[in-house]
């Protein structure tokens, strides 16, 4: 279920708790004090738990957004680091010095043959 919908339904529950608290007060005034007090105690606990649930949901939503932002930053940093490594990579590092010398000699010979 969508967290926003859960928060809305929890708010409706709190409103219901307030309504039934009034019913409990009416019961107490009519002489059924024990039932009225029991209902009030139950409804106060339910209201406190509902309010706590809404706070927890808001905190989770903030943490989720923060994690998404941190992941996006980390992903961007990783991609940027890879790009920098590719830009700074020296293709000659793959070869041994004697292989580089041989490649240069082959290039020189090819240029020499082109001149003739």
């Amino acid at each position: 279920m969508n967290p926003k919908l859960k928060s809305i339904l929890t708010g409706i529950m709190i409103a219901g708790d307030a309504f039934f608290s009034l019913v409990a007060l009416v019961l107490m005034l009519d002489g059924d004090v024990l039932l009225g007090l029991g209902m009030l105690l139950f409804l106060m606990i339910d209201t406190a738990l509902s309010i706590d649930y809404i706070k927890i949901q808001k905190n989770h939503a903030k943490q989720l957004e923060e994690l998404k932002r941190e992941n996006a930053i980390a992903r961007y940093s990783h991609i940027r680091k890879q790009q920098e490594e590719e830009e700074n990579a020296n293709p000659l590092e793959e070869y041994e010095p004697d292989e580089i010398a041989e490649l240069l000699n082959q290039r020189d010979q090819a240029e020499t043959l082109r001149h003739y």
Side-chain angles (χ1 to χ4, degrees), residues 29-77:
L29 292 175
D30 278 348
D32 203 351
V33 178
L34 189 60
L35 181 63
L37 284 176
M39 281 182 66
L40 277 177
L41 179 64
F42 176 80
L43 293 169
M44 287 188 325
I45 292 170
D46 188 49
T47 302
L49 290 174
S50 296
I51 291 171
D52 187 52
Y53 176 77
I54 290 174
K55 287 179 182 178
I56 288 171
Q57 287 294 68
K58 286 182 180 180
N59 190 22
H60 282 288
K62 287 179 185 178
Q63 289 176 348
L64 182 62
E65 287 301 316
E66 187 175 325
L67 283 174
K68 285 180 182 179
R69 186 175 31 254
E70 288 175 3
N71 284 341
I73 290 170
R75 201 175 316 117
Y76 174 77
S77 296

Side-chain angles (χ1 to χ4, degrees), residues 18-30:
F19 172 75
F20 285 114
S21 294
L22 291 175
V23 171
L25 288 174
V26 169
L27 284 174
M28 287 173 54
L29 292 175
D30 278 348

Side-chain angles (χ1 to χ4, degrees), residues 106-116:
Q106 288 175 359
R107 188 188 71 181
D108 289 343
Q109 288 174 359
E111 287 179 12
T112 303
L113 290 175
R114 259 191 244 149
H115 291 292
Y116 289 107

